Structures are given as C-alpha cells and as structure tokens.
Amino acid sequence: MSAIWGHISFSTNDNSAELDKLNKDILSHYSTNCVIDRFHSITTPHFFFGCGIQHFTAESPNEVLPYHNEIKGYYLTCDCVLDNREELLETLSINDAAAPDGTLVALSYERWGIECVKHLRGLFSIAIYDTNSNTLYLATDPVAARCLYYNMNDNGISFSTLLTPLRIIDNSIKINDLYIKDYLTAPGLMPNVISTATPYEDIYLINPGTYLSVTDGKINEHSYWKPDMSENVCNCKTPDEYSKYFRELYEQCVEDAIRTDGEIAIAMSSGLDSATVGAIAATKLQKNNKNLHSYTYVPYEDTPPDKNHNNVHNETEDVKKILTMYPNIVPKFLNNNGKNCCIDLPKSIRVMEIPYKAYANFPNLMEIYQNAHNSSCKVVLCGQMGNLSVSNGYIDNILYDLYDSKHYITFLKYLNKYSKTVKESRKAALKGCLNYFRHASKEYKRPQPEYTPTNPFLSDSILDNYNLQERYAFGKVPLLAYLPTPSRLYHKYMNAPAQYTYLGTLDTKVSLAFGILLRDPTKDMRMLSFCYHLPYKLFAYNGTPRWLVRSSCKDLLPQSLINNWMRYGVQNSDCETRLIRDWDTIAPTLKKELLSDELAAYYDADKVKEFLDREPTLENIGKDILYIMFGSVLYNFIEHSKSAHTVTNETNKNENI
C-alpha cells in the first residue's frame, strides 16, 4: 500500500521551483507522520506526482511508483493491494509472477483505459494523468477502503491520501461549518452526513466505487460499482445451498485478506464477526505453520451490574474458549493501562485529521495497532462491517419484513421457533410484535419525519443557516430510529456511501500511521454483493437470528457462543467508569474546551456548566457524557487544524503514540 499525492497546475507558465518546494513539503509531512518504507516522486514544470510505499506484500519492494509511460503518454500513482492478481496476470499475459500490484494497475489501464477499475479487485486509490487528453482520473475501490481527497481551485487540482497535504498546497482553506454541524447533530456514531464532505471547505472525498475525470477544469463523476449493480453469481436454490456457498465465499475473502510476507493479527472479540474471521484465518495459517496474533480489549475498571444479564462486559473468558480450538492463535489482552479516553485525544486527532465520535474505541484501537506493529504484523484483520453483512439478521428486522410483505404464515413460524428457543411466551411475543410492527408501518407511511438532534447541549443558533432536513435527505441519512429494518431499507443502507467513506478514512489513516494494513473480509465487495442478493428471510431463517453465520460456521466456534442467541458483547464497558474515576482532573479541561470561543457557536454555555458541576456518578453524567466528549473531540480538531498545514509545527506522531 501507499500514500499518494499530486497537483496539476492550470497555469501554462513554468512553475518548477514552486511545485518542487510544495512536493518536498508534502513529502516531509508524510515522512514525519507516517510509517513509510520509501518515497518516490516526479516533478515537471506543470505538475507533480508522489508516492510513499509501504512493504506489506512480497511484491511491494519491486513497486515503481509514480509510473510514467512516455510512449503512451500517461503518469500513474496508486495505493493498492490487489486480490485478483492471478486473474490479472493471466488476462494480461504477464509471465512475471513477482510483478508488483502497481504494474498490474498500469497494464490494466493500457488494456482497458479508466474502465480498468471494473477489472480490479482489492483495496486501491488511483491517480492517472493522461497527457494526450489532458485528463486526470481519480478513483477508489468499490468500498473506498483506501480514501482519496481532492481539491480544485483556479490554480489547479490537487489530490492526496491525507487531508493535510492539500492544506499545504492551499493554506487559505477554511474549516467547513456545515460539516461541523453535521457532526454535532447526526444521530449515532457517524461523524459525516454527506459521503464526500470533509471538515474543510472545497476539499472532498471520492465516493466508493467511483472515478472522477477532470478535463479543462471540469469534474465528472462516474459510478462503476454498487452491490445492486453486481451480477448475482450465486445460483443457489435452497437454504443449505446458500449456507454452503457463503462459507466458501467467506473463506476466500479471508484468504485474500491475509496475503502478506509479514505476521498477521486480528482485533478480536467473542462476537460472531471477528471471531469467525479469526477462526478461518487461524485455520489457514496453521497449514503453513504460521501464528495469528489476537488482541482483545478488556475492562480495567469494574463496571456496575447490568440489568440485562445477557450483556457481556468482559469478553476474556469467551475469547479464551475460542483459543482452546486454535493453538496457533497468540493472544494478548489489553486495557490501555487504565487510561481514560481523554488522555490521547490530540494524538488520535493527528491520526484521523477529522473530528470523530468513536472517542471510547479509538484509544484502545491505537493500542492494538501499535502492539501489532511492534510484533512485526503487517496485516490486521477485523470484522467491522459484519453487522451489515455476514452476521446481519436481527430477528425483529426479518419478522417485520415478513409481516410487512404479508407472509403471515412464515412470520408465525419464525416467531414461534424464536420464542420457544429463547423461552419467551409466544402469546406475549406475538402481541408485542403486532403492536410494534403496526406502529412501524404507520411511521414508514409518513414523509421523512421532523428530526430534533439528540445532543442536549447544542446552542439554539446551531440550526441558523443550516437546513437539517434537506441536508439529511441529500445525504440519505435514515432518521427512523428504533424501527425495524425491512429488506427495502436494508438494501438502501448497503448503498449508503457515507459509512464507506468514513470507514475508509479510518482504515487508511491507521494504516499509514502505524505501518499496518487493515483488512475486513466482511466488507469485501463479493461478500456485500452476495448479501445484497440473498433472500432477506435467510438472515434469520426459521427464526434463528444471524442464521447465515450460525449455520455455516457452527464448527468454527464453541457451541456456547454459536447457540446463545441472546448474548451481546458490550465494547469499552468501563469507559465512563474511567472518566468518573479521573473526573477531578478531566472536568476543568472539559470546561475550558466546551466553554471556549471555538465552540461558542455550537454549545450552550449554561447547559454545559450545569452538567460539569454535577456530582460525577454514572446516574448523573453517564447518559450525556458522550455529547460532552463530542465537543471535546471537536475542540481538539479545531486546535489541530490551526497548525497542521504548517510542516515545521508538526510533531513526529509515531514517537508519541
């Protein structure tokens, strides 16, 4: 994989000296803030292309990027790990099995033009400048697993894997107030509403499965892949056939993800997503006498009893049950040394470059990634998209879809089986379902509902010059919280691009900062396409929640985990407990941040003061602390943005993490 960047000037003058300086400043930023094995760049009187190459595969030391074909008249730089190498080698008649992935991309472009993106499978972002047509092409892979930013103004067009280099090129770029309001008002943990938006004006992300063509200062967007655009290659007829096909596909996705010449790790819980990814990976690695390094977060502080006895706050024992089945998994249980989530916020912001909401998760993930890098791991597996794909199948969603489509007999059959298994009264379950589903059907018949942000600390003026309803409708953000998801909405959610661009920024920036490659087999384009075309009822076939993974992977995990339908793991369960423990130290800092001039336009000072003056108990602050933390993250982002584009002000991130 790589970091890529470039700029094409619209001026006809010779700008060699200026462009050379900009290129060196950007290279300095990447070398200071990323774990890169080597750098190369090309500078001409009118443009420059750069690439920082990371050696994650056996072929990557052979990469020659940026690449220039003078005869055919194009320049190429790319950030890629391809999963269909064998197919491309054969199709392109390449006899050199050690040909690097960048060379395969270049030869694919020579064969198919920019339509080559339809023939590539894996993780990639690509920039190609065709000097014959004076056209710049920018592309990302089908799920935007490798992010790519761009900015165009009167002087030219620029692109970069990271945000800051674009601000080095144009230091007049300002913070995007609309993005900040999206961040503060959006429901859930997604920081973005619009998939292409960034926290800076006039800097944009490229959508998943999309390429841009830029000619004569005009940008055209072309969509080349979505799950619903893919052919349904599965010709299965019965549930058993679907289950068998899924298992074979799942194993292939995992096998492709572990292609590396280094060690392999996984961020593993005892949930069905990461646990099955880990089990498949361990099995395949065992055949080659290789280990799988697993990293599991465990609480440092004791958490109060949970009213829901099915919630698991500490997954240590369940993970150990999995380990007994796979002797080549080398486990490590981490707790971030008991640090609260505020301590490393500035470091997290330097990695992400954007305000984010996963403040509780990210410090623990950084600890996992740093440990993986220190253990010579080059690939770190995860299952972050599993709830949308391999382990989709909440029983309420499938039951409602059957009810909504008037398949009442199947609905009753599924409900009876589920109720019997979890030992619920079938009569009470039916009554509850009917009341819930009638309410849902009534809500779905309405136009997009009025939405009031759930953040209780926001200033009333935050909605000034901000049409929340139109913004969310444009971004295709669902505002129907606490309602079941029928098949029509599931398919819509699968094609919602904002989730992919956000996760892609996370994966890419972590990869660059820690010198590791994040791979998620549950987000593989083949898996998403399979799940899109899967008959929806099979996600909870015959009343079994998450039937797809439970039926096909029942041999991979302990039966106590596979058969426990009601079990749910709680991530970072002691996050609030740590904050309360350190409240005397944290509260003054939070007060300074939340009452600062930087947040005055967004947060209501009186409401913030009242909250921070409360006695620090779970009952008093536990419910709303996340909204205060969103403000703290935003403040740290604004402070970072003031100097991040000045190369001399950067601190070596890798030494501090």
Side-chain angles (χ1 to χ4, degrees), residues 181-197:
K181 291 181 177 181
D182 290 344
Y183 167 80
L184 291 172
T185 63
L189 291 179
M190 285 290 293
N192 54 322
V193 171
I194 309 299
S195 59
T196 58

Side-chain angles (χ1 to χ4, degrees), residues 511-585:
S511 173
L512 292 174
F514 294 93
I516 56 172
L517 176 60
L518 259 64
R519 294 298 308 258
D520 181 6
T522 70
K523 197 171 62 174
D524 189 291
M525 59 180 287
R526 295 165 295 177
M527 184 61 72
L528 294 176
S529 181
F530 170 81
C531 291
Y532 187 95
H533 293 286
L534 182 77
Y536 194 60
K537 67 180 182 180
L538 292 187
F539 281 117
Y541 176 61
N542 202 25
T544 301
R546 306 185 182 196
W547 175 82
L548 192 61
V549 69
R550 282 196 161 101
S551 67
S552 64
C553 300
K554 56 189 175 183
D555 60 313
L556 296 179
L557 301 178
Q559 292 304 299
S560 60
L561 300 181
I562 285 287
N563 295 331
N564 190 345
W565 294 2
M566 304 296 289
R567 178 189 176 282
Y568 292 95
V570 179
Q571 294 183 351
N572 301 287
S573 59
D574 65 340
C575 178
E576 294 169 1
T577 307
R578 296 189 193 195
L579 290 172
I580 291 171
R581 179 199 65 196
D582 301 335
W583 194 249
D584 289 346
T585 302

Side-chain angles (χ1 to χ4, degrees), residues 416-426 429 565-566:
N416 285 340
K417 172 66 181 299
Y418 176 81
S419 300
K420 182 178 180 180
T421 303
V422 300
K423 296 180 172 56
E424 283 188 7
S425 164
R426 284 176 284 181
W565 294 2
M566 304 296 289

Side-chain angles (χ1 to χ4, degrees), residues 26-167:
I26 292 171
L27 191 151
S28 176
H29 175 81
Y30 274 109
S31 76
T32 300
N33 291 275
C34 302
V35 179
I36 302 290
D37 289 293
R38 56 194 171 93
F39 290 92
H40 297 282
S41 61
I42 296 174
T43 302
T44 77
H46 303 293
F47 70 91
F48 60 80
F49 269 23
C51 189
I53 300 171
Q54 296 174 302
H55 295 169
F56 292 145
T57 67
E59 301 81 18
S60 52
N62 302 324
E63 288 283 14
V64 180
L65 292 169
Y67 175 78
H68 177 210
N69 189 316
E70 188 173 359
I71 296 175
K72 295 186 179 293
Y74 73 90
Y75 293 82
L76 175 147
T77 188
C78 65
D79 167 18
C80 64
V81 164
L82 299 179
D83 292 338
N84 62 332
R85 282 180 51 83
E86 298 302 321
E87 173 189 338
L88 291 171
L89 288 169
E90 181 179 354
T91 302
L92 298 171
S93 300
I94 301 173
N95 296 321
D96 182 8
D101 291 357
T103 297
L104 298 185
V105 173
L107 294 177
S108 295
Y109 176 71
E110 293 178 14
R111 172 78 173 267
W112 295 294
I114 191 55
E115 294 296 305
C116 68
V117 292
K118 297 180 180 179
H119 298 266
L120 306 177
R121 178 164 52 79
L123 284 58
F124 60 83
S125 63
I126 301 169
I128 301 171
Y129 181 39
D130 188 320
T131 56
N132 295 320
S133 62
N134 192 30
T135 298
L136 173 68
Y137 296 106
L138 301 174
T140 60
D141 63 69
V143 295
R146 302 298 289 188
C147 67
L148 189 60
Y149 295 98
Y150 68 96
N151 163 255
M152 188 170 73
N153 54 36
D154 293 339
N155 297 321
I157 182 165
S158 311
F159 64 88
S160 173
T161 305
L162 294 182
L163 266 170
T164 302
L166 298 182
R167 299 182 65 219

